[in-house]
Amino acid sequence: MENSNSYSPYSSSSVDSTKPSPSESSVNLSLSLTFPSTSSQRETSQDWPPIKPRLRDTLKSLCLRQRRYNTALFVKVYMEGVPIGRKLDLSTFSGYESLLENLSHMFDTSVICGNRDRKHHVLTYQDKDGDWMMVGDIPWDMFLETVRRLKITRPERC
Amino acid sequence: MSEDDEDQSPPSDLRSQPPPCSPNKSRNCISSSSSSQTFPDHVLENVLENVLQFLDSRCDRNAASLVCKLWWKVEALTRSEVFIGNCYALSPARLTQRFKRVRSLLLKGKPRFADFNLMPPDWGANFAPWVSTMAKAYPWLEKVDLKRMFVTDDDLALLAESFPGFKELVLVCCEGFGTSGIAVVANKCRKLKVLDLIESEVTDDEVDWISCFPEDVTSLESLAFDCVEAPINFKALEGLVARSPLLRKLRLNRFVSLEEVHRLLLGAPQLTSLGTGSFSQTHQSEQEPDYAAAFRACKSVVCLSGFRELMPEYLPAILPVCANLTSLNFSYANISPDMFKPIIHNCHKLQVFWALDSICDEGLQAVAATCKELRELRIFPFDPREDSEGPVSELGLQAISEGCRKLESVLYFCQRMTNAALVAISQNCPELTVFRLCIMGRHRPDHVTGKAMDEGFGAIVKNCKKLTRLAVSGLLTDQAFRYMGEYGKLIRTLSVAFAGDSDMALRHVLEGCPKLQKLEIRDSPFGDVALRSGMHRYYNMRFVWMSACSLSMGCCKDVARAMPNLVVEVIGSDDDDENREYVETLYMYRSLDGPRKDAPQFVTIL
């Protein structure tokens, strides 16, 4: 039996894409020109896929928890001469500048990168291989991947 | 025989009339031959009563009640367990008028799609009229089991006060009450055996309800409160468990820590079913409790659930009980395949398994290799968005079908599926009665061939001859529905979303599936022609739900006019325009007592 008034943007035989493009799906969801559908408003709401709100909320918090464990990057920070260190989540910084600013604030002194200086504390780090290096030579993202701990050296040490 | 509803009542001439002779004689002896004409009736009535009291199945009872007036009457006297699939199909008064000796009531309210925010709140399904009517009629009521009902604290208080022998309260997907209502039940129902709060919304009234249980030994056999989002008094809980020697099932909420669960287990090794609270260590202690030892002591545990806030390193603690497990629920735990495989490897007796798709196809393959007794599988999506990656696919489900031939019930969320896999699954698992597949991306075709999922679902309905419940998804044309109508002869529940091309699809189903009771459809292009084509069916169905389809108000009004015992509800959104032709949501159901009087503003009863 043939469908008389079928309206289907997809024929049953030839669909190449695995997912409808946004414009296609919104056309299909409106279903017909005569009857406006509000289901497009529901696209962003909480009714598809059909999961109970309680499970949905639990999953959201699980997801957030996982993301936090995945992206948090806590490293130990020592000030040379001071036995008790601090811990810092490097993932919260956008780059070297904000890191230095925060460290200066944390240790109440001025901390800089590179350039031995008799006056300022210089920031160094221990990398994946266990070597102590000067902070600031490599791009920030690369730094995040290799840094294991930080040490703020006394002036005139390096 | 149509579905086992209470409202399967005979025509009005068989309604209750005074019996031909005195009913005061003892029921357990056959009366002597004193009266003349009424003797056979009375004897028959006694005999019938003695026989019918053994009938348990509602189906059988409904059939028996239709034989004749006498059988109807005696059946009504001996029915102690009543099932009402739709609380609006009849009034509470009708229940108490017909059945006089009810001890147990199972009552369902809102339609299932209300769980997914497809219905505004405060639609109805109030327990209040039921409890107040039963309070007067059934003082010996023992059990109340509610699903998707709106229950208030006052209702619970009335329940606790009115039924001195009350034993079991089960509230599934209910709302409207809080911990203060629970406290009253705990305190006043002295014979309470079962208090199960499952997936319900319970407001935190900051009442220590656990302490409200009576001080002496309780009859508690089952206590489930995992859905209660409120801290509890652990010391009181420990005391309660200690004085509940019959306790077998305990489901804790996430406010009970792992250390506390450990203490409970040590005190209650007779548990058979445990829902752990939070499965993580809250503070580092020098000597960590030996969790494995506590689990090892629970030789009777066969059902495990919970695992909220799971810290994976503690999961191996359950290894001692794995070999005994028949039911395992990991659906609140994000477990990777590597964490999962060592655990499942031991679960040879597993029959029911629920989990998140984070275990991946790899994890499912491990299940298939070990769990040969598997009957029920539910896989939920860790990331329930349409464009999420989807760690499980047709491979996992097909592997399960190959390894677990006794499979009966499947609920599977995924992003990728193929027709070939569904065909294989249908051939591997002939015992399937429930098949619910949710391909999360809307209108998604077979990801290998690009074709619609028609052939796959067609194979499912054709080969799974015991199938009673089906939920379809993915790209589906009318052909899929043609298969459903042709082969789905036992299907009672059908869920359709974003599927079909035209009215013909729905017609195939309405004309071809004689056992169809519950039909829920959303976002599909079915219109007036389809709706009209099913008019010969609607009195034999529990309900029909159609939202975001192509129905017009005019047609719905016609249906309502043509079928006076059908309640046709049109549920609108916030739009105030009453003259709109478009019907956003149609929910219709048969009713013996006419339309309800408690409909909110956004519901229009035609």
Side-chain angles (χ1 to χ4, degrees):
Chain A
M1 219 185 286
E2 284 307 302
N3 307 328
S4 47
N5 69 340
S6 66
Y7 165 71
S8 168
Y10 302 102
S11 68
S12 53
S13 49
S14 58
V15 178
D16 298 319
S17 62
T18 50
K19 196 160 91 163
S21 66
S23 55
E24 278 179 293
S25 53
S26 58
V27 163
N28 194 36
L29 285 171
S30 71
L31 298 170
S32 137
L33 297 173
T34 342
F35 299 119
S37 165
T38 55
S39 58
S40 51
Q41 291 157 15
R42 289 209 207 99
E43 275 181 72
T44 49
S45 82
Q46 301 285 298
D47 62 59
W48 184 262
I51 300 176
K52 293 194 178 133
R54 174 176 300 274
L55 182 60
R56 199 179 282 273
D57 291 338
T58 309
L59 293 176
K60 253 190 235 152
S61 59
L62 275 181
C63 214
L64 283 171
R65 241 176 108 223
Q66 192 195 39
R67 237 177 262 147
R68 247 186 285 134
Y69 286 152
N70 285 350
T71 59
L73 189 53
F74 278 95
V75 295
K76 294 183 189 167
V77 188
Y78 285 93
M79 168 79 90
E80 200 170 12
V82 181
I84 308 289
R86 302 292 302 266
K87 247 194 165 160
L88 211 57
D89 181 357
L90 294 182
S91 67
T92 61
F93 301 118
S94 48
Y96 290 118
E97 258 193 62
S98 53
L99 171 63
L100 287 173
E101 210 183 293
N102 197 283
L103 282 174
S104 303
H105 193 78
M106 203 185 242
F107 289 90
D108 203 30
T109 178
S110 118
V111 183
I112 59 157
C113 276
N115 277 341
R116 300 146 198 215
D117 198 311
R118 294 204 170 250
K119 284 182 249 158
H120 296 100
H121 289 84
V122 177
L123 186 60
T124 63
Y125 72 102
Q126 187 181 36
D127 70 6
K128 268 201 291 236
D129 304 320
D131 303 323
W132 285 96
M133 316 286 289
M134 200 82 87
V135 165
D137 291 332
I138 53 172
W140 175 251
D141 292 327
M142 215 184 278
F143 170 69
L144 286 182
E145 268 165 43
T146 187
V147 62
R148 289 295 166 263
R149 40 168 50 184
L150 294 172
K151 187 154 71 180
I152 302 171
T153 62
R154 278 204 305 256
E156 91 271 321
R157 218 353 171 52
C158 332
Chain B
M1 198 69 219
S2 70
E3 220 233 295
D4 320 315
D5 272 308
E6 203 273 278
D7 49 339
Q8 179 57 34
S9 71
S12 50
D13 59 350
L14 288 180
R15 295 256 156 84
S16 181
Q17 285 177 25
C21 68
S22 143
N24 290 331
K25 300 241 163 112
S26 149
R27 295 290 179 192
N28 287 328
C29 67
I30 300 194
S31 69
S32 57
S33 50
S34 44
S35 5
S36 40
Q37 307 148 282
T38 52
F39 168 73
D41 269 353
H42 190 64
V43 167
L44 188 55
E45 200 175 302
N46 283 341
V47 170
L48 258 183
E49 202 177 320
N50 282 314
V51 169
L52 288 185
Q53 70 189 9
F54 293 107
L55 267 187
D56 288 330
S57 130
R58 327 190 277 264
C59 221
D60 292 342
R61 283 192 161 272
N62 290 344
S65 71
L66 292 178
V67 169
C68 68
K69 192 163 65 170
L70 181 64
W71 280 56
W72 189 86
K73 176 182 157 213
V74 176
E75 193 282 313
L77 280 173
T78 55
R79 191 184 297 221
S80 62
E81 222 177 85
V82 175
F83 169 83
I84 298 177
N86 176 5
C87 64
Y88 286 123
L90 70 152
S91 66
R94 185 178 290 268
L95 167 70
T96 54
Q97 272 159 27
R98 179 173 171 184
F99 298 112
K100 300 293 186 189
R101 299 185 186 159
V102 173
R103 288 185 189 271
S104 163
L105 175 72
L106 205 162
L107 184 61
K108 296 191 183 180
K110 286 190 271 191
R112 199 180 69 96
F113 272 8
D115 286 351
F116 313 121
N117 295 328
L118 287 181
M119 180 139 86
D122 303 325
W123 172 82
N126 299 302
F127 184 49
W130 294 91
V131 67
S132 59
T133 307
M134 289 194 300
K136 300 181 204 115
Y138 303 141
W140 47 75
L141 190 69
E142 289 177 1
K143 177 175 168 184
V144 167
D145 189 328
L146 304 178
K147 190 165 185 181
R148 294 196 192 94
M149 295 288 298
F150 191 84
V151 184
T152 65
D153 289 332
D154 290 338
D155 297 336
L156 290 176
L158 185 58
L159 184 143
E161 280 155 33
S162 312
F163 309 116
F166 196 74
K167 295 196 181 131
E168 295 185 36
L169 181 64
V170 178
L171 299 175
V172 180
C173 299
C174 294
E175 56 176 348
F177 62 101
T179 46
S180 48
I182 300 301
V184 179
V185 172
N187 186 254
K188 300 231 171 112
C189 300
R190 301 264 148 170
K191 303 217 173 133
L192 200 63
K193 294 201 302 192
V194 172
L195 179 59
D196 282 352
L197 306 171
I198 299 170
E199 290 182 38
S200 295
E201 287 293 318
V202 184
T203 54
D204 181 7
D205 302 325
E206 290 177 30
V207 169
D208 182 4
W209 57 278
I210 296 272
S211 298
C212 292
F213 280 95
E215 295 276 310
D216 24 314
V217 172
T218 76
S219 337
L220 270 183
E221 294 175 12
S222 173
L223 178 63
F225 59 94
D226 46 314
C227 61
V228 178
E229 289 290 308
I232 52 136
N233 178 342
F234 179 70
K235 204 150 179 284
L237 177 64
E238 217 177 354
L240 178 65
V241 171
R243 61 183 194 278
S244 305
L246 301 172
L247 193 66
R248 294 284 175 275
K249 298 186 184 179
L250 182 62
R251 281 191 198 198
L252 308 165
N253 68 8
R254 63 180 178 86
F255 291 89
V256 179
S257 69
L258 193 54
E259 299 102 313
E260 289 170 341
V261 171
H262 177 253
R263 272 162 60 185
L264 281 176
L265 285 179
L266 291 175
Q270 81 278 15
L271 286 179
T272 59
S273 171
L274 174 68
T276 69
S278 152
F279 220 81
S280 55
Q281 184 85 330
T282 39
H283 38 261
Q284 300 296 327
S285 48
E286 318 78 42
Q287 214 181 11
E288 225 170 59
D290 189 351
Y291 296 116
F295 276 99
R296 207 174 295 126
C298 293
K299 301 195 193 312
S300 329
V301 166
V302 293
C303 174
L304 269 186
S305 62
F307 303 103
R308 305 293 193 101
E309 292 150 22
L310 176 72
M311 275 186 187
E313 52 267 32
Y314 292 103
L315 201 52
I318 70 168
L319 279 172
V321 295
C322 282
N324 296 330
L325 285 183
T326 56
S327 172
L328 182 56
N329 183 349
F330 276 154
S331 56
Y332 287 101
N334 179 19
I335 304 178
S336 69
D338 292 330
M339 273 191 252
F340 176 65
K341 289 196 297 193
I343 306 283
I344 201 69
H345 190 64
N346 298 294
C347 301
H348 301 277
K349 291 192 188 165
L350 208 59
Q351 295 184 21
V352 175
F353 179 58
W354 294 23
L356 291 180
D357 60 3
S358 55
I359 61 172
C360 302
D361 284 332
E362 203 184 325
L364 290 171
Q365 282 155 355
V367 173
T370 313
C371 308
K372 299 301 176 189
E373 297 297 316
L374 198 68
R375 304 285 197 276
E376 178 176 326
L377 175 75
R378 294 198 193 192
I379 300 295
F380 299 95
F382 173 65
D383 188 1
R385 290 174 298 137
E386 279 191 72
D387 48 359
S388 64
E389 225 183 83
V392 296
S393 69
E394 80 277 4
L395 297 172
L397 192 56
Q398 188 168 350
I400 293 275
S401 76
E402 283 158 13
C404 312
R405 297 301 174 110
K406 299 185 187 176
L407 202 58
E408 292 171 5
S409 174
V410 171
L411 171 60
Y412 197 74
F413 284 83
C414 63
Q415 292 285 22
R416 291 161 286 147
M417 186 49 65
T418 63
N419 284 308
L422 288 184
V423 171
I425 290 163
S426 72
Q427 288 163 345
N428 291 334
C429 300
E431 300 298 314
L432 274 177
T433 54
V434 173
F435 190 76
R436 300 156 69 189
L437 177 66
C438 182
I439 303 169
M440 293 190 281
R442 294 176 235 208
H443 310 286
R444 214 165 260 204
D446 179 321
H447 79 98
V448 166
T449 65
K451 295 201 158 112
M453 296 301 301
D454 298 339
E455 295 308 311
F457 280 105
I460 293 283
V461 287
K462 187 170 172 196
N463 298 331
C464 300
K465 303 201 188 334
K466 300 186 182 178
L467 200 70
T468 56
R469 182 169 180 182
L470 179 67
V472 299
S473 58
L475 180 65
L476 293 169
T477 71
D478 289 353
Q479 179 59 38
F481 294 87
R482 189 172 296 138
Y483 286 137
M484 283 180 234
E486 192 178 338
Y487 298 110
K489 295 307 175 189
L490 294 182
I491 293 180
R492 290 181 39 185
T493 307
L494 180 64
S495 306
V496 176
F498 304 103
D501 294 330
S502 76
D503 287 337
M504 276 315 299
L506 185 50
R507 278 186 68 172
H508 287 309
V509 166
L510 288 170
E511 286 166 9
C513 301
K515 299 275 183 182
L516 193 62
Q517 288 292 306
K518 298 181 259 184
L519 181 60
E520 38 188 35
I521 302 174
R522 60 167 292 187
D523 294 275
S524 300
F526 308 142
D528 299 345
V529 172
L531 193 67
R532 280 185 227 275
S533 74
M535 278 171 59
H536 64 292
R537 298 290 336 274
Y538 301 139
Y539 277 155
N540 287 329
M541 293 173 68
R542 191 186 292 176
F543 71 78
V544 173
W545 167 290
M546 289 178 67
S547 59
C549 296
S550 310
L551 298 171
S552 74
M553 193 67 88
C555 175
C556 294
K557 285 185 181 158
D558 289 344
V559 171
R561 228 188 325 265
M563 306 184 73
N565 286 335
L566 198 68
V567 176
V568 179
E569 292 193 14
V570 171
I571 302 169
S573 51
D574 300 329
D575 205 313
D576 277 347
D577 185 359
E578 285 180 26
N579 290 330
R580 277 194 320 170
E581 261 302 293
Y582 174 64
V583 169
E584 164 121 12
T585 299
L586 168 74
Y587 178 52
M588 56 190 200
Y589 49 90
R590 61 188 170 184
S591 171
L592 289 173
D593 291 314
R596 59 190 176 116
K597 313 251 181 334
D598 61 357
Q601 259 228 336
F602 53 81
V603 170
T604 313
I605 299 184
L606 299 179

